[in-house]
């Protein structure tokens, strides 16, 4: 009985030993894994280059309209409206603000209407006179104007107005020669206020208070003469536009209204006593000037 059990035990273990000694079969890699469809590789994309970040706006702030150095960001809120560039690298805005600029101007009147009333002393009577001058004629005075912009809206300065005329008339048959000359000088400080300091077309109003001197001297060859001189206080008000064609240059048309009050003296011919009189009147005209604006 024991021999039978031993034979069965040996037989049971003898069968798997040769099978275990044989090499295991090889299979393709992934044969027992579910095949996944291959996805195409993404198209190569270049990495974005790092963009330089703008730094803070420079302090102290540059003058309005000045170029901002590269690398700076936009100005703080509210400064762009005052004439600063909106972003670094942006084109410069034309200089229309007058702050810190010196004004040098030359102009004349295109149309001027003057009304004058004379009252002779000692009840000598009254005289009235009106004049209308138009066009760029010899009777139109020339004025030189200067100023300085203490703010972007306010300019203070002065005006010098010069005018004159000289004529000569000779009658050959009568042998008479008559010469006449006239001179006009106005000195007045001025103040101008601008409403739109960042606009190419900048409306303004202004006022002047000064002294005007007029002199007229017709002379006759026979010794007959009549000299007339006047000294008046002038109050002038004006309103107009400064049209900036480019940086530092403007054309300035303006409507000017003035009032005068003063006195004068007339020297009649033939040794007659001088006649004193008071003078008053007003004038209105259209002036045209060219202004240069220089930074100092």
């Amino acid at each position: 009985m024991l021999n039978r059990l031993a034979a069965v035990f040996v037989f049971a273990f003898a069968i798997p030993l040769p099978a275990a000694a044989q090499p295991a079969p090889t299979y393709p890699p992934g044969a027992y894994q579910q095949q996944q469809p291959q996805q195409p590789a993404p198209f190569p994309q270049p990495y974005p280059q790092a963009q330089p970040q703008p730094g803070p706006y420079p302090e102290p702030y540059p003058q309005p309209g000045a170029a901002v150095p590269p690398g700076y960001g936009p100005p703080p809120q509210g400064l762009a409206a005052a004439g600063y560039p909106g972003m670094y690298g942006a084109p410069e805005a034309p200089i229309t603000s007058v702050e810190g600029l010196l004004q040098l101007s030359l102009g004349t009147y295109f149309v001027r209407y003057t009304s004058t009333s004379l009252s002779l002393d000692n009840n000598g009577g009254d005289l009235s006179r009106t004049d209308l001058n138009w066009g760029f004629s010899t009777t139109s005075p020339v004025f030189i104007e200067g100023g300085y912009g203490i703010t972007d809206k306010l300019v203070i300065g002065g005006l010098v107005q010069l005018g004159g005329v000289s004529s000569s008339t000779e009658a050959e048959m009568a042998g008479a020669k008559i010469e006449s000359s006239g001179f006009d000088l106005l000195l007045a400080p001025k103040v101008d206020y601008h409403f739109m300091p960042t606009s190419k077309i900048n409306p303004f109003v202004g006022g002047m208070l000064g002294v005007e001197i007029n002199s007229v001297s017709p002379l006759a060859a026979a010794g007959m003469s009549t000299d007339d001189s006047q000294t008046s206080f002038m109050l002038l008000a004006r309103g107009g536009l400064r049209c900036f064609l480019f940086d530092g240059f403007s054309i300035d048309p303006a409507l000017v209204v003035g009032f005068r009050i003063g006195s004068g003296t007339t020297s009649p011919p033939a040794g007659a006593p001088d006649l004193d009189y008071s003078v008053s009147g007003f004038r209105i005209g259209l002036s045209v000037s060219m202004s240069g604006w220089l930074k100092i």
Side-chain angles (χ1 to χ4, degrees):
M1 182 68 179
L2 293 174
N3 292 332
R4 292 179 178 179
L5 292 174
V8 172
F9 182 79
V10 172
F11 181 78
F13 281 93
I15 293 174
L17 287 176
Q22 298 178 1
T26 59
Y27 298 94
Y32 294 98
Q33 298 179 359
Q34 185 178 2
Q35 297 293 328
Q36 298 292 335
Q38 294 185 357
Q39 299 293 333
F43 192 80
Q45 299 289 338
Y47 291 102
Q49 297 181 356
Q51 298 293 332
Q53 296 296 326
Y57 204 70
E59 294 186 9
Y61 302 133
Q63 289 290 333
V68 179
Y72 288 104
Q77 184 178 5
L79 288 184
Y84 293 90
M87 176 66 79
Y88 68 94
E92 299 181 17
I95 298 177
T96 58
S97 174
V98 297
E99 183 175 6
L101 301 182
L102 177 66
Q103 177 196 12
L104 297 176
S105 178
L106 179 66
T108 186
Y109 285 91
F110 181 70
V111 178
R112 189 170 70 158
Y113 175 82
T114 304
S115 176
T116 306
S117 297
L118 304 178
S119 297
L120 299 176
D121 292 350
N122 300 321
N123 297 322
D126 296 333
L127 299 175
S128 297
R129 178 180 177 181
T130 60
D131 296 289
L132 177 62
N133 301 323
W134 60 275
F136 299 105
S137 62
T138 57
T139 57
S140 298
V142 175
F143 57 85
I144 301 172
E145 187 175 349
Y148 179 76
I150 58 176
T151 70
D152 61 346
K153 295 184 178 181
L154 196 63
V155 176
I156 60 173
L159 179 143
V160 178
Q161 178 177 295
L162 297 172
V165 62
S166 178
S167 64
S168 177
T169 303
E170 183 175 358
E172 295 182 359
M173 295 182 61
K177 182 178 180 181
I178 300 176
E179 298 178 349
S180 65
S181 62
F183 178 75
D184 183 13
L185 172 65
L186 172 64
L187 300 174
K190 68 132 186 182
V191 58
D192 292 333
Y193 182 85
H194 298 80
F195 293 94
M196 301 173 62
T198 60
S199 174
K200 288 186 177 182
I201 300 179
N202 192 353
F204 75 98
V205 294
M208 289 172 279
L209 179 62
V211 177
E212 184 177 40
I213 299 174
N214 303 92
S215 177
V216 178
S217 299
L219 304 177
M224 307 288 290
S225 65
T226 301
D227 296 336
D228 185 88
S229 61
Q230 300 176 6
T231 302
S232 306
F233 291 97
M234 291 289 302
L235 175 62
L236 300 171
R238 64 178 178 176
L241 301 172
R242 299 202 189 277
C243 304
F244 285 86
L245 302 184
F246 49 86
D247 289 351
F249 180 81
S250 65
I251 300 294
D252 310 329
L255 180 66
V256 183
V257 179
F259 301 90
R260 63 181 298 196
I261 183 173
S263 61
T265 301
T266 297
S267 299
D274 295 344
L275 298 178
D276 297 329
Y277 60 89
S278 59
V279 58
S280 62
F282 72 94
R283 67 179 53 164
I284 182 171
L286 176 63
S287 68
V288 181
S289 60
M290 299 179 294
S291 295
W293 301 87
L294 307 177
K295 188 174 182 179
I296 60 174

